Amino acid sequence: HGLEPFKIKGILMEHLDGFTLGEIGDRCPRSSWQDINDQALNVVRLFDSRDIINFDIRLDNFVVVETIPQLK
């Protein structure tokens, strides 16, 4: 009973109220572009560090959402 590394047990989906990274120029001020892009790059690096392979990295697969402050 070996491991089945390519067998998908399920897919988790969540609706995010936001816009794609490809729409950044139309949806938010230029002053925030660098920070948003840096965060997207950190996500890619995090996945890579955990050996998660994504063959479909493109701007429309990133969703930008407004950060909501958490209650303390």
Side-chain angles (χ1 to χ4, degrees):
H1 299 257
L3 297 175
E4 299 179 41
F6 299 105
K7 185 173 182 180
I8 298 173
K9 301 284 185 186
I11 298 174
L12 175 64
M13 297 179 70
E14 179 180 355
H15 171 76
L16 299 173
D17 190 20
F19 56 91
T20 68
L21 196 54
E23 300 172 288
I24 194 172
D26 298 326
R27 302 293 297 267
C28 62
R30 186 181 202 103
S31 60
S32 62
W33 293 3
Q34 185 67 53
D35 184 53
I36 292 169
N37 283 302
D38 288 346
Q39 290 179 49
L41 185 56
N42 286 338
V43 169
V44 172
R45 288 177 177 153
L46 175 66
F47 280 25
D48 184 56
S49 74
R50 298 202 170 133
D51 295 325
I52 298 172
I53 299 170
N54 183 346
F55 293 108
D56 195 20
I57 297 174
R58 55 191 170 96
L59 296 177
D60 288 339
N61 286 340
F62 285 87
V63 177
V64 179
V65 295
E66 184 177 347
T67 302
I68 301 171
Q70 296 194 5
L71 299 175
K72 294 182 180 180

